[in-house]
Amino acid sequence: CIVQILDPGERPKILHQHDFKDGFDSSFSYNGDWFISKYGNLSAKYIDRNIENLDEVIAWGEEEWDNYEPDIWTIVKTIEYPSDGLVTFNYAINEGLSGLSLYLNNEKIWEHDSSYLVGDRTQNYRDITLNIPKGINEFRWEYVGDVFELAWGNKSELNITEVIFTELIPEIEKPDDLPKCPLPYTHHFSSDY
């Protein structure tokens, strides 16, 4: 009975998996200065060449802030899911104003927001798994660097280790020897018992 309740009725099938220690995956398209780090990660170090130091940023007026648009670097892959599935990826990102978002078919479905940790130089490590509907799906990760951290002489940094696209194949038949659960019933309970 417990096995039947816990059994999701699905078998996982990996549609595509890539560990970036094996280099770039040509099935992705990359926009930005991505590179493979010495540790085998897909890495980005945000460098805005228009900003040289903190004094320049502090001196910005309203017009500079209104017109400032940071570079957005992207990783894109389109993949067909014959049935519902999952996408799994892991990453490390410097805390601060830099950010990472995932769009599914141009709709944001996830984001890393650490803007409340401005000035914190720690790296945040995460493993993310998200449900994905069946069909042809375009995944677009967007990375935005941090002008303030750059001005302080730090570099906003992102490292992605691995991306896995998994289909969850529905099970049509269950084994005959799988226990069947009885219908719900009420059992009388006496406090004296």
Side-chain angles (χ1 to χ4, degrees):
C1 185
I2 291 171
V3 169
Q4 188 173 4
I5 290 170
L6 296 180
D7 176 23
E10 298 159 333
R11 289 179 290 114
K13 175 186 176 188
I14 294 178
L15 299 172
H16 187 81
Q17 177 176 5
H18 186 72
D19 190 329
F20 287 100
K21 71 179 178 188
D22 297 328
F24 284 98
D25 182 334
S26 61
S27 68
F28 288 82
S29 61
Y30 308 88
N31 178 26
D33 294 331
W34 298 98
F35 63 96
I36 302 298
S37 74
K38 64 181 179 181
Y39 302 109
N41 300 313
L42 178 66
S43 297
K45 288 186 180 177
Y46 181 78
I47 300 173
D48 189 325
R49 290 168 183 82
N50 298 319
I51 299 167
E52 295 182 10
N53 57 53
L54 180 60
D55 293 334
E56 183 181 337
V57 175
I58 292 173
W60 277 7
E62 195 172 305
E63 183 179 344
E64 284 91 352
W65 283 115
D66 289 343
N67 294 324
Y68 177 72
E69 292 184 19
D71 290 339
I72 297 175
W73 298 357
T74 60
I75 310 163
V76 180
K77 180 169 177 66
T78 301
I79 189 165
E80 183 174 0
Y81 281 74
S83 49
D84 292 345
L86 306 169
V87 63
T88 303
F89 60 99
N90 48 49
Y91 70 97
I93 192 169
N94 286 0
E95 296 295 19
L97 292 177
S98 55
L100 179 64
S101 300
L102 175 59
Y103 290 80
L104 179 66
N105 303 322
N106 292 319
E107 180 182 336
K108 187 186 288 188
I109 61 169
W110 174 88
E111 73 177 326
H112 174 95
D113 178 17
S114 60
S115 57
Y116 58 92
L117 295 169
V118 176
D120 187 344
R121 297 309 309 149
T122 60
Q123 281 223 329
N124 190 313
Y125 299 88
R126 301 245 177 119
D127 292 319
I128 303 298
T129 299
L130 302 167
N131 294 316
I132 304 300
K134 79 183 226 177
I136 297 175
N137 292 299
E138 181 190 77
F139 296 86
R140 184 177 77 247
W141 285 265
E142 288 190 354
Y143 170 67
V144 181
D146 176 4
V147 63
F148 287 109
E149 293 195 14
L150 180 70
W152 281 107
N154 299 317
K155 290 183 176 68
S156 298
E157 187 172 352
L158 166 69
N159 292 294
I160 299 174
T161 306
E162 184 178 43
V163 180
I164 305 170
F165 303 92
T166 306
E167 176 191 8
L168 298 175
I169 302 171
E171 287 187 348
I172 297 171
E173 297 180 12
K174 293 189 182 276
D176 291 335
D177 59 346
L178 192 68
K180 302 293 185 266
C181 292
L183 291 173
Y185 68 98
T186 304
H187 180 73
H188 172 71
F189 176 78
S190 169
S191 60
D192 296 331
Y193 179 67

